[in-house]
């Protein structure tokens, strides 16, 4: 799929990266599973709407989105004793195989007429139980194979795969929902994980990749550092609330499309495609910015994203909200890179991995919780109200975060002055 011959238009780091046989073999199956997950963004909620009772469809959709993600945090906490000694490759294979089996059971249960809401939620939740470990395996697999420069390039390629899936996956799912049940789209997602498990299982990696450190151990250590550093803690809180506010969007947007615009899954896929295109453009534009004040940019992104949600108040046409959602994606694209850059500059170098692990463990709870909350709100108010409310919350985060940042800065200055004052006493 990739040529290893050097080309003038291909930067050196990419040529050397794709020359690595292991990376070259696994990247296509990583991209395929990313595509399957991108399609499930539409399929999971659409199937929940089909299964949910009247007056409870929003709640079931919210619980489905939460079940598809949240148990991964629980698995990271309670399964460390058994999983932390496994190699990166085995973690990836076990997680992929589990998701293939359990997600694959959803279309089979649907075809047999056995897919009740409780069964659906149970299969989604169980499929995600080891996913935090699978992600750890995915990002640790290439560590012993690549140089520092190649690792950065590899992370960029894997990130590009995720954003590309955000563009293509929902749009493709939107087209397929008109022809097949969303249960079979989830079945395709299961098949992509089966391919990933088989390919990863056949891949030979150096023994130095074994074992992966336990995420829970790193998270515990990193969390104590975050609690002692007000600026890093403030960034974590801002990001958590930002993700919490975005969680209801995954549930409310399908209802907005079906209930307010009277359209189908094709338009829903178009919304996510517009968001993904905006995110890709934003992420690429970040690379051209040589000097950028991190905190003002982060808070500006959160507020700007909220502004992009306000056009959902207009329900007569999809155009205003589609443009606003693309604008929100444009700003969302650089957010993760900016926040991690800030952490890299503020956290102790020897504890950076632990701090990032703690950040990931905490943030994993935000979006599913927001989705579940959004589902219950949808049964009590309208989809436009929930979407605009999410935007208003994001806008409110920015000034609150700015005030908290100012107070933490003043606190640090007072602490730095205390030793001098004590010496004069």
């Amino acid at each position: 799929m990739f040529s290893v011959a050097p080309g003038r238009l291909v930067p050196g780091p990419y040529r050397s990266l794709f020359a690595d046989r292991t990376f070259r073999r696994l990247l296509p199956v990583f991209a395929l599973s990313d595509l399957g997950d991108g399609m499930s963004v539409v399929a999971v909620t659409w199937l929940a709407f089909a299964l949910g009772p009247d007056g409870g469809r929003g709640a079931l959709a919210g619980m489905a989105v939460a079940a598809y993600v949240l148990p991964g945090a629980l698995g990271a906490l309670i399964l460390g004793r058994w999983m932390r000694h496994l190699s990166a490759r085995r973690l990836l294979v076990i997680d992929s195989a589990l998701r293939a089996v359990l997600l694959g059971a959803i279309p089979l249960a649907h075809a047999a007429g056995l897919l009740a809401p409780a069964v659906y939620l149970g299969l989604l939740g169980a499929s995600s139980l080891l996913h935090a470990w699978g992600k750890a395996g995915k990002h640790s697999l290439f560590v012993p194979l690549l140089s520092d420069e190649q690792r950065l390039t590899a992370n960029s390629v894997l990130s590009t795969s995720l954003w590309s899936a955000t563009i293509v996956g929902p749009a493709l799912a939107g087209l397929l929902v008109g022809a097949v049940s969303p249960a079979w789209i989830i079945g395709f997602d299961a098949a992509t994980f089966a391919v990933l498990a088989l390919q990863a299982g056949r891949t030979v990696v150096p023994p130095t990749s074994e074992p992966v450190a336990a995420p829970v151990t790193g998270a515990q250590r990193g969390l104590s550092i975050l609690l002692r550093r007000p600026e890093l803690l403030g960034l974590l809180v801002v990001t958590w609330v930002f993700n919490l506010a975005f969680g209801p969007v995954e549930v409310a947007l399908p209802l907005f499309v079906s209930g307010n615009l009277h359209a189908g899954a094709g338009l829903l896929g178009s919304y996510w495609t517009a968001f993904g295109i905006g995110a890709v453009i934003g992420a690429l534009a970040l690379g051209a910015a040589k000097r950028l004040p991190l905190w003002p940019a982060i808070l500006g992104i959160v507020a700007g994203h909220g502004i992009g949600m306000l056009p959902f108040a207009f329900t007569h046409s999809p155009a205003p909200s589609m443009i606003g959602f693309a604008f929100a994606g444009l700003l969302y694209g650089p957010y993760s890179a900016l926040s991690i850059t800030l952490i890299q500059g503020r956290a102790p170098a020897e504890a950076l991995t632990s701090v990032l692990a703690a950040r990931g463990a905490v943030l994993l709870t935000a979006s599913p919780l927001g989705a579940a909350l959004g589902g219950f709100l949808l049964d009590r108010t309208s989809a436009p109200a929930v979407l605009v409310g999410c935007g208003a919350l994001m806008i409110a985060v920015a000034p609150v975060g700015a005030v908290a940042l100012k107070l933490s800065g003043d606190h640090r200055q007072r602490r730095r002055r205390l030793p001098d004052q004590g010496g004069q006493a």
Side-chain angles (χ1 to χ4, degrees):
M1 181 176 178
F2 298 101
S3 174
V4 300
R8 295 182 178 180
L9 298 179
V10 181
Y14 288 96
R15 291 200 301 268
S16 61
L17 175 64
F18 291 131
D20 183 88
R21 185 170 179 267
T22 302
F23 187 86
R24 196 170 65 249
R25 289 185 62 187
L26 287 177
L27 179 60
V29 290
F30 283 151
L32 182 64
S33 67
D34 289 339
L35 176 63
D37 278 344
M39 295 172 66
S40 289
V41 168
V42 172
V44 166
T45 53
W46 213 257
L47 182 56
F49 290 147
L51 296 174
D54 293 338
R57 295 188 306 160
L60 182 61
M63 288 187 286
V65 172
Y68 194 56
V69 178
L70 195 55
L74 181 63
L77 292 173
I78 66 175
L79 299 178
R81 178 180 177 183
W82 298 276
M83 305 298 292
R84 64 188 179 190
H85 301 299
L86 299 179
S87 70
R89 182 180 64 85
R90 292 187 69 183
L91 287 173
L92 180 61
V93 170
I94 292 172
D95 171 58
S96 299
L98 181 68
R99 289 175 75 81
V101 171
L102 294 176
L103 292 179
I106 291 177
L108 298 180
H110 174 73
L114 301 175
L115 194 63
V119 174
Y120 181 48
L121 294 177
L123 289 172
L124 287 176
S127 74
S128 66
L129 189 61
L130 299 181
H131 204 39
W133 294 97
K135 287 182 177 179
K138 176 180 178 180
H139 291 287
S140 301
L141 189 65
F142 301 112
V143 170
L145 305 177
L146 307 175
S147 65
D148 290 341
E149 182 183 43
Q150 287 177 317
R151 292 171 195 169
L152 177 62
T153 307
N155 288 331
S156 299
V157 172
L158 294 176
S159 178
T160 300
S161 173
L162 286 172
W163 282 123
S164 299
T166 302
I167 297 172
V168 178
L172 182 58
L175 293 175
L176 291 176
V177 162
V180 299
S181 166
W184 294 106
I185 297 176
I186 296 175
F188 172 78
D189 192 13
T192 67
F193 279 105
V195 173
L196 177 56
L198 290 173
Q199 186 72 321
R202 296 168 52 197
T203 301
V204 178
V205 294
T208 50
S209 65
E210 304 183 15
V212 176
V216 63
T217 302
Q220 289 172 343
R221 180 188 176 201
L223 186 59
S224 66
I225 296 174
L226 288 171
L227 293 175
R228 294 196 306 266
R229 294 175 178 256
E231 187 177 11
L232 294 181
L233 180 60
L235 176 63
L236 180 64
V237 172
V238 167
T239 306
W240 191 89
V241 176
F242 186 22
N243 289 353
L244 177 75
F246 189 74
V249 175
E250 298 183 31
V251 183
L253 184 58
L255 277 182
F256 177 82
V257 170
S258 62
N260 295 97
L261 298 179
H262 307 291
L267 182 60
L268 176 62
S270 298
Y271 270 95
W272 285 112
T273 299
F275 183 88
I277 292 174
V280 169
I281 295 174
L284 293 174
L286 178 65
K290 296 181 179 179
R291 291 174 179 252
L292 200 63
L294 295 179
W295 262 113
I298 286 171
L299 295 177
I301 285 174
V302 176
H305 194 291
I307 292 173
M309 300 299 298
L310 299 183
F312 280 102
F314 301 97
T315 59
H316 62 281
S317 168
S321 53
M322 182 82 74
I323 295 172
F325 205 47
F327 176 74
L330 180 70
L331 295 180
Y332 187 81
Y335 184 87
S336 179
L338 285 171
S339 60
I340 291 177
T341 299
L342 194 150
I343 293 174
Q344 290 171 335
R346 305 297 193 272
E350 69 278 5
L352 179 60
T353 302
S354 298
V355 171
L356 291 175
R359 172 185 180 269
V362 173
L363 295 182
L364 192 59
T365 64
S367 183
L369 181 60
L373 178 62
F376 286 106
L377 290 175
L378 282 171
D379 292 331
R380 293 159 177 80
T381 185
S382 66
V386 171
L387 292 167
V388 173
C390 290
L393 178 58
M394 295 175 190
I395 294 171
V397 166
V400 172
V403 172
L405 178 64
K406 178 67 167 57
L407 292 176
S408 67
D410 293 342
H411 177 68
R412 288 196 304 271
Q413 292 178 0
R414 286 195 298 269
R415 290 188 61 182
R416 281 195 291 266
R417 287 196 296 264
L418 283 177
D420 297 335
Q421 293 169 355
Q424 295 171 359

